[in-house]
Amino acid sequence: MVLNLAFSPCPNDTFVFHALVHGLVPGAPAVDVTYADVDVTNTRALDGAFDVVKVSYAALPWLLDRYRLLPTGGALGHGCGPLVLTRDRRRPEDLAGATVAVPGERTTAYLLFRLWSAGFAPGRIEVVPFAEIMPGVAAGRFDAGLVIHEARFTYPEHGLTMLADLGEWWEGETGHPIPLGAILARRELNADALTGWIRSSVEYAWRHPEASADYVASHAQEMSADVTGRHIDLYVNEFTADLGDAGHAAVADLLGRAAAAGLVPPIAGLR
């Protein structure tokens, strides 16, 4: 068996999957890896392109007929939500009629944005590659941009201002951690075995952080070592090892609110 696995080149994903990819998890199969931004995996998973895939939680309503949610390896936590950035200080209501750049139509970031901005919806949404969002806002191509991951640490370097922290908003509204990226497995595969292998990979990464350093750096898209470390520390946490009841409740609440607002199809359950 060769496991067809897809995840992003972001430091949290390469840190988590390093041991599995490099044959360091006892009993796990060989792995064929596809590195792709989450907007790409959200789309390709619709056709069942991968055995195991990292996607946005917001994409689950379109994928759970073919895939099941695994309780390990994903991204969910506190203080790690997407940000809305502008060139100058604005009020949220100033976004009404504005042009906003987002990293993908079925990303969790955009779903949170749609819930947050229900009373002042932008006039135009443009889906652009993540790396183009901050430069585009800085250049005036977009009135605002929705960013994720390491942009939390680097947006001041682009001369940008944070209009809203959607994770802070979500936690204040619900008390839940912020669901970001999910690990899914094809339903015909052994979910228990896959969960065990991925959890072992996470645990290996924590026990031997130096082992994955070169691998993480090689995919970190010119990110500084400091930003890479902060990225991993923020996004790889107790929920990465096990979603638990709190993690499942957060995801169910997000998708329930989105379905009630007519933004996603309703789902029967997560487990």
Side-chain angles (χ1 to χ4, degrees), residues 5 12 27 32 51 53 56 59 87 106 109 118 128 148-149 158 217-218 249 263 270:
L5 171 65
N12 60 309
D32 181 18
D51 296 325
V53 57
S56 301
R87 281 191 300 172
R106 290 185 179 171
V128 299
I148 54 177
H149 296 323
H158 294 264
S218 70
L263 302 178
L270 292 171

Side-chain angles (χ1 to χ4, degrees), residues 10-270:
C10 291
N12 60 309
D13 285 348
T14 50
F15 181 78
V16 162
F17 287 104
H18 165 261
L20 184 59
V21 169
H22 290 84
L24 300 173
V25 175
V31 174
D32 181 18
V33 183
T34 297
Y35 302 97
D37 288 340
V38 72
D39 191 44
V40 175
T41 58
N42 286 346
T43 300
R44 292 193 61 193
L46 290 169
D47 298 323
F50 309 107
D51 296 325
V52 176
V53 57
K54 172 84 173 284
V55 299
S56 301
Y57 274 109
L60 262 58
W62 291 275
L63 298 173
L64 289 178
D65 60 333
R66 188 183 299 265
Y67 289 93
R68 71 174 72 245
L69 175 64
L70 298 184
T72 191
L76 186 148
H78 296 282
C80 58
L83 306 179
V84 182
L85 304 178
T86 59
R87 281 191 300 172
D88 46 26
R89 294 195 178 277
R90 299 189 182 197
R91 302 167 301 168
E93 53 267 33
D94 292 335
L95 291 182
T99 298
V100 179
V102 304
E105 290 185 350
R106 290 185 179 171
T107 59
T108 308
Y110 184 43
L111 184 57
L112 286 169
F113 178 85
R114 294 173 79 188
L115 290 169
W116 169 76
S117 66
F120 42 87
R124 179 181 174 85
I125 295 294
E126 289 198 28
V127 177
V128 299
F130 171 68
E132 297 179 14
I133 293 179
M134 289 193 291
V137 175
R141 180 180 167 196
F142 314 113
D143 298 307
L146 179 63
V147 300
I148 54 177
H149 296 323
E150 69 276 3
R152 292 187 65 86
F153 314 122
T154 61
Y155 74 85
E157 298 171 12
H158 294 264
L160 301 179
T161 297
M162 183 176 66
L163 175 64
D165 182 328
L166 300 188
E168 184 178 276
W169 168 80
W170 168 257
E171 293 188 70
E173 285 281 312
T174 69
H176 292 308
I178 309 143
L180 297 170
I183 304 299
L184 303 185
R186 291 179 63 93
R187 287 194 170 271
E188 62 268 27
L189 299 179
N190 186 328
D192 290 340
L194 290 165
T195 296
W197 295 330
I198 296 171
R199 185 168 290 140
S200 293
S201 190
V202 174
E203 292 169 350
Y204 184 97
W206 279 332
R207 287 196 309 270
H208 307 284
E210 73 290 344
S212 63
D214 290 345
Y215 175 63
V216 171
S218 70
H219 291 281
Q221 301 174 344
E222 302 181 0
M223 210 179 297
S224 71
D226 174 66
V227 170
T228 297
R230 292 166 69 190
H231 183 119
I232 291 170
D233 289 344
L234 183 60
Y235 293 103
V236 185
N237 53 48
E238 68 271 23
F239 295 108
T240 310
D242 190 345
L243 273 177
D245 291 340
H248 281 94
V251 177
D253 195 6
L254 173 67
L255 297 180
R257 288 170 183 253
L263 302 178
V264 304
I267 61 171
L270 292 171

